Amino acid sequence: MKPAKRTTTAAKEEDVPSMLQWWRRWTVLVAAIWIQAFTGTNFDFSAYSSDMKSSMGVSQSRLNYMAVASDLGKALGWSSGFAVAYFPLSSVLFSASAMGLVGYGVQWLSIAADVIDLPYSLVLVCCSLAGLSICWFNTVCFVLCVRHFESNHSLALSLVVSFNGISAALYTLGHEVISGKSSASSDIYLLLNSLIPLFVSLLALWPVLTYPDSSATRTHDETRIFIVFNVLALVTCFYLLLPSSDTYLASSPRWHFLGAICLLLFPLCVPFLDYIFRALHSCFHHDSSGYSVVNIEEPKTLNRVGLDHEEIKSFDKVGGRLGDEHSLGMLVRSLEFWLYYIAYFCGGTIGLVYSNNLGQIAQSLGQSSSNAKSLVTLFSAFSFLGRLLSSAPDFTRKKLDYLTRTGWFTISLLPTPLAFFILAYSSKSALLQVATALIGLSSGFVFAAAVSVTSDLFGRNSVGVNQNILITNIPIGSLVYGYVAGSVYDKHATPSVVSDTVVCVGRRCYFATFLFWGCLSVVGLVCSLILFIRTRPVYHQLAQNRC
């Protein structure tokens, strides 16, 4: 029996390095969460846009062009996919940090600090550079999830991308900590946008340098840790809504911000707690090892054997078998891609443009600056919640097999037209908050689910390039939607008595804009429904091959 005891002891000793290796693998996911949480700097634009408009003395249309310029940087986001192919991931990460540092830092020096005199055209260039940095950060996170969580990459992507939605709320808290809760100054946003992503990149460097180990063992219920992570993310979401309540934390920005940071750090402990739970469980069940592991089998490759004629046609509709790597040529020849493109264009992109205009929308309806920032936090929190819900297809696959990921995508677009029609025909403050929450929820789901849909339909390994091709609709939509909103606003605006800018007050400022956006969101809903019908057989065949 002695040799058996030595074997058991050796197995337990081997569990320690195995557990550390397992923990370091999860630190990669936590690092991606940190990166996403602090690099969604475009979402806080509306928090300081009104002050920027006043300090620069520009019209609403010219202010919208600055948001367009930021989104225009995303048109070059595909370059990050090629950068990942030729350079280390850490180099791509710090290149993104450098772009953001220059893009936002120069704006702060020109607009806030008044150190340099920057022409409007160069401000647009800085906005574009800042927007491009966000795409490079996103690509780093996509690659980390796919490399380290091949079997559960959809869960990892949905979770990580969801944290991009809380950036505006975090930066608003940071602004309140530095400038005070009642401060009207918004200059600090630009400084925070330039410095914090660089600082977070330094913190995330060690996990990013971790190389995936294909021989590494994985727990049979890896999904349980993802569930815990999602629960923690949900807690974080509701925690960030405290500014709208009367709690002590809501009245103390410093403690509120510290609590948010603790919630972002706590996921580092989850793998250790999981190990302790397994060790206790094995002791009570007299197992020889405290760390029971099995290898998770990769999903089986789809094949055409056994498919009927309709299913084969479904494969042809998407330009090949589901999950095949799609080149640019295959992508643009696919009808499904264009249905998907329009659905995103009329769903998530409209939500993004709405968030960019939140400051002026609140101002036109007589809301104060602090109320506008509360709306930004509300939109951010519900966008975060929507992104979390994008993992629903992975958790309900067996129970709701009639709903595919594209089906959930369609459902997520339903609140958007409803919200815009509410905004068009009512100016009540409560309904403004409800509509903002609905649009944030819908657009957040679209942003997060799109990464997994792109991976499913057009190839997992090409997601870094293909996703950035998809989001080229963002600068187009930002230009079109922003032009409409700016033109309607300026048409009904009157000169301000306190500055050289023009200000519009009343429902007429955005009435036509909301109607236009609402009708377009209906078009996106119809396209997403057609996409769901055309891809449903393919998703079901994928599910059968996974069994």
Side-chain angles (χ1 to χ4, degrees):
M1 296 298 294
K2 290 184 179 179
K5 290 182 180 179
R6 279 195 290 267
T7 301
T8 302
T9 303
K12 289 184 178 180
E13 290 176 352
E14 289 176 358
D15 283 345
V16 175
S18 178
M19 185 271 293
L20 292 175
Q21 185 180 27
W22 174 256
W23 175 77
R24 186 170 183 184
R25 180 166 170 264
W26 285 99
T27 63
V28 175
L29 186 68
V30 176
I33 287 173
W34 293 346
I35 293 171
Q36 286 287 291
F38 289 100
T39 58
T41 48
N42 56 324
F43 291 110
D44 64 15
F45 177 76
S46 55
Y48 61 86
S49 59
S50 295
D51 290 342
M52 178 179 287
K53 176 184 175 182
S54 177
S55 63
M56 294 183 65
V58 297
S59 65
Q60 181 63 27
S61 295
R62 287 170 70 86
L63 179 69
N64 278 335
Y65 290 147
M66 295 176 66
V68 171
S70 177
D71 294 331
L72 190 62
K74 298 175 182 177
L76 299 175
W78 51 266
S79 60
S80 60
F82 292 101
V84 168
Y86 294 102
F87 299 99
L89 207 57
S90 56
S91 300
V92 179
L93 177 64
F94 282 102
S95 295
S97 302
M99 293 178 195
L101 181 65
V102 174
Y104 287 112
V106 172
Q107 289 184 70
W108 180 78
L109 290 173
S110 173
I111 299 171
D114 201 22
V115 174
I116 57 177
D117 185 15
L118 203 64
Y120 176 76
S121 58
L122 289 184
V123 172
L124 295 181
V125 173
C126 290
C127 290
S128 298
L129 190 63
L132 180 60
S133 72
I134 298 172
C135 287
W136 281 52
F137 278 124
N138 291 342
T139 300
V140 170
C141 295
F142 298 161
V143 172
L144 287 174
C145 291
V146 172
R147 284 182 182 177
H148 293 269
F149 297 91
E150 294 183 1
S151 299
N152 286 306
H153 70 282
S154 294
L155 284 173
L157 287 170
S158 298
L159 176 67
V160 167
V161 174
S162 68
F163 278 87
N164 198 239
I166 66 171
S167 292
L170 289 173
Y171 278 97
T172 298
L173 278 176
H175 172 268
E176 292 177 354
V177 170
I178 297 174
S179 301
K181 192 174 180 67
S182 60
S183 174
S185 175
S186 298
D187 299 341
I188 198 68
Y189 276 101
L190 289 170
L191 184 61
L192 293 175
N193 287 352
S194 64
L195 296 178
I196 289 183
L198 177 61
F199 177 70
V200 172
S201 297
L202 290 171
L203 289 179
L205 180 60
W206 182 69
V208 168
L209 293 176
T210 302
Y211 289 96
D213 186 358
S214 59
S215 63
T217 55
R218 301 170 184 171
T219 57
H220 66 283
D221 53 354
E222 185 182 70
T223 306
R224 184 171 63 188
I225 298 183
F226 276 107
I227 293 175
V228 175
F229 272 47
N230 276 273
V231 170
L232 288 174
L234 193 62
V235 171
T236 305
C237 172
F238 287 106
Y239 178 84
L240 291 172
L241 287 173
L242 286 177
S244 59
S245 65
D246 295 325
T247 62
Y248 171 75
L249 284 177
S251 61
S252 178
R254 182 174 302 174
W255 287 104
H256 194 187
F257 182 74
L258 182 61
I261 297 300
C262 290
L263 285 173
L264 290 174
L265 291 173
F266 186 74
L268 288 173
C269 304
V270 173
F272 282 122
L273 296 177
D274 176 73
Y275 174 79
I276 294 172
F277 173 82
R278 293 178 184 281
L280 294 174
H281 184 271
S282 64
C283 288
F284 283 111
H285 289 78
H286 305 288
D287 293 336
S288 61
S289 173
Y291 194 67
S292 176
V293 296
V294 296
N295 288 327
I296 295 178
E297 184 181 359
E298 285 293 314
K300 298 177 183 178
T301 304
L302 288 176
N303 56 74
R304 295 176 184 253
V305 178
L307 296 181
D308 58 26
H309 180 66
E310 291 300 321
E311 288 171 336
I312 292 175
K313 286 174 64 179
S314 297
F315 277 107
D316 294 334
K317 286 176 183 178
V318 295
R321 294 178 299 175
L322 185 63
D324 280 356
E325 303 302 323
H326 281 60
S327 63
L328 176 61
M330 295 174 64
L331 210 62
V332 298
R333 289 195 300 268
S334 170
L335 175 60
E336 271 64 25
F337 171 73
W338 292 110
L339 289 171
Y340 179 36
Y341 194 91
I342 295 173
Y344 194 108
F345 178 77
C346 298
T349 300
I350 283 185
L352 177 61
V353 177
Y354 173 79
S355 70
N356 288 339
N357 284 268
L358 256 179
Q360 283 67 51
I361 291 172
Q363 185 183 54
S364 69
L365 297 177
Q367 303 287 323
S368 65
S369 176
S370 60
N371 287 339
K373 291 176 182 177
S374 296
L375 285 175
V376 172
T377 299
L378 183 69
F379 182 92
S380 177
F382 274 87
S383 175
F384 184 25
L385 181 60
R387 291 164 188 255
L388 283 178
L389 292 176
S390 68
S391 61
D394 298 288
F395 291 116
T396 61
R397 183 180 296 145
K398 294 182 179 179
K399 296 180 180 179
L400 300 175
D401 58 351
Y402 53 89
L403 272 182
T404 65
R405 199 181 300 279
T406 49
W408 284 98
F409 191 91
T410 301
I411 294 174
S412 71
L413 293 178
L414 285 172
T416 304
L418 175 64
F420 281 127
F421 291 136
I422 288 175
L423 288 169
Y425 291 102
S426 177
S427 59
K428 294 182 179 179
S429 177
L431 290 179
L432 174 62
Q433 293 178 346
V434 170
T436 299
L438 287 175
I439 296 172
L441 186 72
S442 177
S443 61
F445 192 106
V446 169
F447 289 140
V451 182
S452 296
V453 172
T454 302
S455 175
D456 287 344
L457 296 181
F458 310 115
R460 178 189 306 175
N461 296 327
S462 304
V463 67
V465 175
N466 291 341
Q467 180 65 15
N468 282 305
I469 293 174
L470 170 71
I471 63 174
T472 55
N473 72 77
I474 292 180
I476 298 173
S478 184
L479 177 61
V480 174
Y481 303 146
Y483 174 77
V484 171
S487 299
V488 173
Y489 183 97
D490 289 337
K491 180 180 178 181
H492 296 95
T494 55
S496 173
V497 297
V498 295
S499 66
D500 296 331
T501 59
V502 291
V503 179
C504 183
V505 179
R507 285 180 54 193
R508 67 186 186 279
C509 302
Y510 283 94
F511 175 76
T513 300
F514 290 147
L515 282 182
F516 175 66
W517 288 354
C519 292
L520 276 179
S521 61
V522 172
V523 174
L525 178 62
V526 172
C527 288
S528 66
L529 180 61
I530 298 173
L531 177 68
F532 162 60
I533 295 172
R534 291 175 66 90
T535 58
R536 186 180 176 187
V538 183
Y539 268 99
H540 285 180
Q541 185 62 30
L542 176 64
Q544 292 176 11
N545 280 270
R546 279 175 173 167
C547 296

